[in-house]
Amino acid sequence: MNVDDLLARLSLEEKVRLLTGQDFWSTHALPAIGLRSMVLSDGPSGVRGAVWDERDPSLNLPSATALSSSWDLGIAHRYGVVSALEARRKNVDVVLGPTINLHRSPLGGRHFEAFSEDPVLTADLAAAYVAGVQELGVGATPKHYVANDFETDRFTANVVVDERTLREVYLLAFEKAVTESKAWLVMSAYNSINGATASENELLETPLNTDWGFDGVVVSDWTAVRSIESAKHSQDLAMPGPVGAWGDALVEAVRSGEVKEEAIDRKVRRILALAARVGALEGFEKPADPQRIDGVAFARTAAAEGTVLLRNESGALPWGDVQKLAVIGHNARDARTQGGGSATVIPEQVVSPLEGLRRALPDAEITYSIGAIVQEGVAELPPATMTNPRSGGPGAHVRFLGADGSELFAEDRFSSALVYLGGDAPVVETAVFEFRTTWTPTESGAVRLGFASVGHGRIFADGKLLHEDTAVPVGNDLGAAILSPPSVSTPLDVTAGTPVEVRVELDLHTAEGGLGNALSITVGVEPADEDPQALIDQAVAAARAADVALVVVGTNSKVESEGYDRTSLALPGHQDDLVRAVAAANPRTVVVVNAGSPVLLPWRDDVAAVLATYFGGQQYGDALADVLLGRVEPGGRLPTTWPRTQEDVPVIDVTPKDGVVRYDEGVHIGYRAWLKAGTEPAYEFGHGLGYTTWELSDLRANDPSSVALTVRNLGDRAGKHVVQVYVERPDSTIDRPVRWLAGFTIVRLDAGQAREVTVTLHEHTFEHWDGGQSTGWTTEPGAFTIRAGSSVSDLPLSTELEIR
């Protein structure tokens, strides 16, 4: 039995049915040919599964920016393997990741979910991730193809970009995942590229199929297929279902001759081949049982490997004997372990920096001060403070009510942050959603009780209506409306230990524009208004009394999330004022940056050390303690340039003008644009310090495929070094970057140890795209300068290679 035999048994209607999902997360089954439904799941940094439910928790891995900061293909491969293990555990066949759009602008709202500003680094990491996922019989889905490097008007924006830039930069980031790791799927983006939407674009055929040999499924981003026109292109699967732009209309288009049945057959062949690969089609070999990996332990390792030591004056880190430690910052207690949006998973537990340090330093005196409020909007109630008023057990009781008040559906939950996308809950038929819990606060004082959702809501406490209001989404992005909704809250004085009967009612039919069979709501509290200076003063007093002060600064869910771009690179709230004040009170101040993408650090030269930890996953606090205490090396190097000021950023625009985003900078993005502008950033691409010192010597380039050099650990402890190789061609007749990454490798050596290493160079290192040539890629003969070192601007070694 083969795929063509099965295809021959299908009617046109059956074939077309396979091309649209059966629901939000899965494909259609055809039992007559042994085809079961396949489940697709979000989660480049974890695998959520078919339900967004705390009763079925997921492993929360560090963000993609943390993964890319490791520069370690072994870590990326294991990341993919661990993701596939989660997928297999949750009966998921396809992981919708990795996200490998480029960091064109630091304002990109989904920056945390993607790897890097450099296409070579991105391509290598993506290929390793994809190989790891598919090794276990789970499909990987590089996304979003292509030039989807912003969120503003992402459904309708048209990216205007020349062919050379597409090939050398944006397509290059995807190429290796297809040509080397043989990705089983690719996701087409929402945006248009040079006038044609991604799902109706010739780029789906060339280079994806013709040049790269892709034989997998092109799946749409959710609702990205909008017309029959896309069926004429190499777009294979439209998600979600069951209603979409194809269906009966596509059957009629085939019968009328508008769409050829051969095009339908090709799509079905690919879907059946995917089913065979993931074990969803009878008569084909099933994926082997996987070797187990401790995912929780890996999450801790990956967080440390992706931690970047940006500054370390006079060996401030690692810490020695710490007797009195002042831990300061909202994010120290309520850390962000992942960004907002579709990549979100629900972990079973999270270790905050405060918890991790208390665990690692059981004999130290550790104080905590919030210092500055970072949270914006409603945050969920801690599960330990909730009692279900129906059962008397933990959690909450929720009900879906019809227009006549009848109960359509009810369930008990253990979280106050709930998302319904498809599933059993009858969202479309529901008039009122009701949430009830008994909340027992742990602290006395003023709070703001409320909800975050879309629609008209009513907030009750102890049976009394406190407030009602309508939450209206900002903009027209459906993803943002569902996953990052606005908040409504009202003041309430609470007493620690005194229960409060909380009830929130939400009129679903008032959701502006309608959200279909989807609902997202968080019931919880916002911080009450507090005097910012008083909070800073409390933190300063604690810092002054301590041996060491640790300040954890960061972003919140209103700053970094799917659905909208950032407007500022500054830290939210009064965090900059907080750091300056604490640093003035304690010269041993260490700052940890809990943000998924670059932020401004105007006080960076005033503190002893700075660590960029990104969104560190569920073991974040333990990993941070490991690094601070020197138990492990801070293994990261920057995959993206961090600016001094926002005004310095050479490529920053993410807002379409008249519906168009012009990539007029061409191949000069990221560090390439910084080098062209001649502006010095705060921290350059590739930068990162460790706990030992290194010497590089004897660089040799014998051929265009690799270079060799000697690396020596000069310090007194084992360490990790990231050797980076760049290429220049200053006298080129082509508009080239000043310098571009050609290859890199990881070196781990004991104290005093030396090793000769070989760095493989990217196959297109000495080429440029010229569509006029027979192959497109061509070489400008002459001498190229090859440089090696520790960052894009720290390159002590150089040699020349003549390319003919």
Side-chain angles (χ1 to χ4, degrees), residues 698-776:
D698 195 21
L699 177 65
R700 305 176 305 286
N702 298 320
D703 61 62
S705 65
S706 66
V707 300
L709 70 158
T710 299
V711 182
R712 185 181 301 277
N713 181 352
L714 300 177
D716 58 3
R717 58 175 287 161
K720 167 188 173 182
H721 194 58
V722 181
V723 177
Q724 302 166 42
V725 177
Y726 297 81
V727 171
E728 301 173 359
R729 181 69 186 270
D731 60 346
S732 177
T733 60
I734 310 300
D735 178 27
R736 297 182 185 273
V738 173
R739 187 177 301 135
W740 60 96
L741 183 68
F744 58 92
T745 194
I746 300 297
V747 184
R748 301 178 192 273
L749 296 176
D750 291 333
Q753 188 179 6
R755 180 184 302 159
E756 181 178 290
V757 300
T758 298
V759 180
T760 301
L761 305 185
H762 191 278
E763 63 174 319
H764 295 312
T765 292
F766 302 101
E767 298 177 327
H768 63 278
W769 178 260
D770 182 351
Q773 301 294 316
S774 58
T775 64

Side-chain angles (χ1 to χ4, degrees), residues 59 61-62 74-76 78-79 82 293-303:
L59 181 69
L61 294 171
I75 291 289
R78 287 166 61 197
Y79 197 108
V82 169
I293 296 178
D294 186 335
V296 173
F298 173 74
R300 182 171 181 167
T301 296

Side-chain angles (χ1 to χ4, degrees), residues 354-568:
L354 179 60
E355 182 182 353
L357 285 164
R358 283 177 170 164
R359 185 182 300 173
L361 296 169
D363 299 325
E365 179 185 335
I366 299 178
T367 63
Y368 173 71
S369 310
I370 194 168
I373 301 296
V374 178
Q375 176 191 329
E376 293 180 45
V378 166
E380 63 187 282
L381 301 172
T385 67
M386 296 166 53
T387 301
N388 186 321
R390 185 195 67 84
S391 67
H397 187 63
V398 300
R399 298 197 299 162
F400 291 75
L401 307 176
D404 60 357
S406 62
E407 182 177 289
L408 305 178
F409 180 79
E411 64 179 355
D412 295 324
R413 299 296 295 265
F414 300 111
S415 172
S416 69
L418 308 175
V419 178
Y420 296 91
L421 295 177
D424 296 331
V427 177
V428 173
E429 295 82 13
T430 298
V432 176
F433 171 84
E434 179 190 77
F435 174 97
R436 294 172 58 224
T437 191
T438 301
W439 171 50
T440 303
T442 57
E443 297 179 4
S444 300
V447 299
R448 295 188 64 87
L449 179 67
F451 67 90
S453 192
V454 174
H456 187 81
R458 293 172 290 277
I459 305 165
F460 298 83
D462 293 329
K464 178 183 177 182
L465 176 64
L466 300 182
H467 186 68
E468 64 178 307
D469 201 352
T470 300
V472 179
V474 178
N476 58 4
D477 191 295
L478 181 63
I482 296 174
L483 302 175
S484 302
S487 292
V488 170
S489 65
T490 188
L492 178 68
D493 290 325
V494 298
T495 303
T498 300
V500 179
E501 299 294 328
V502 174
R503 184 168 95 249
V504 170
E505 297 174 350
L506 184 68
D507 296 338
L508 297 192
H509 64 270
T510 62
E512 199 166 284
L515 300 179
N517 197 31
L519 166 65
S520 168
I521 184 168
T522 297
V523 176
V525 295
E526 289 188 271
D529 295 333
E530 295 193 53
D531 179 7
Q533 189 57 52
L535 295 180
I536 291 174
D537 290 344
Q538 292 168 12
V540 166
R544 189 173 288 121
D547 301 328
V548 180
L550 180 78
V551 186
V552 182
V553 299
T555 58
N556 56 47
S557 60
K558 299 300 181 184
V559 174
E560 294 182 90
S561 181
E562 178 181 352
Y564 47 83
D565 292 308
R566 300 161 70 187
T567 58
S568 171

Side-chain angles (χ1 to χ4, degrees), residues 107-299:
L107 292 179
R110 217 163 169 177
H111 194 298
F112 61 87
E113 195 180 318
F115 286 148
S116 168
E117 67 188 17
D118 181 80
V120 169
L121 176 59
T122 296
D124 284 356
L125 290 166
Y129 178 115
V130 168
V133 172
Q134 295 185 171
E135 195 174 281
L136 274 63
V138 175
T141 314
K143 64 182 185 181
H144 309 83
Y145 188 89
V146 63
N148 182 197
D149 312 292
F150 56 92
E151 292 294 285
T152 304
D153 296 339
R154 60 180 175 158
F155 290 97
T156 57
N158 176 36
V159 172
V160 175
V161 54
D162 65 81
E163 185 182 7
R164 181 186 170 211
T165 299
L166 262 177
R167 288 283 190 156
E168 291 190 22
V169 181
Y170 299 96
L171 290 169
L172 191 70
F174 283 83
E175 184 173 351
K176 215 169 191 178
V178 176
T179 59
E180 291 192 7
S181 297
K182 308 297 182 184
W184 295 346
L185 302 94
V186 166
M187 180 185 287
S188 56
Y190 289 124
N191 57 287
S192 295
I193 306 98
N194 294 326
T197 62
S199 62
E200 301 173 6
N201 204 294
E202 288 301 317
L203 292 170
L204 293 180
E205 182 63 18
T206 301
L208 185 57
N209 286 284
T210 56
D211 295 358
W212 299 351
F214 179 64
D215 64 357
V217 171
V218 175
V219 58
S220 72
D221 205 341
W222 267 226
T223 72
V225 166
R226 302 158 195 163
S227 73
I228 293 296
E229 179 64 28
S230 56
K232 303 173 186 177
H233 293 266
S234 299
Q235 175 71 52
D236 302 310
L237 177 60
M239 292 296 290
V243 178
W246 289 354
D248 293 341
L250 182 52
V251 172
E252 291 304 313
V254 173
R255 287 182 171 150
S256 70
E258 181 184 357
V259 177
K260 295 180 179 179
E261 188 163 0
E262 290 84 354
I264 304 302
D265 289 347
R266 181 176 124 156
K267 301 177 195 302
V268 174
R269 281 191 190 94
R270 290 178 177 234
I271 290 171
L272 293 178
L274 172 65
R277 284 166 165 164
V278 302
L281 190 58
E282 292 178 6
F284 294 84
E285 185 178 353
K286 301 289 185 182
D289 288 335
Q291 181 180 359
R292 310 309 299 180
I293 296 178
D294 186 335
V296 173
F298 173 74

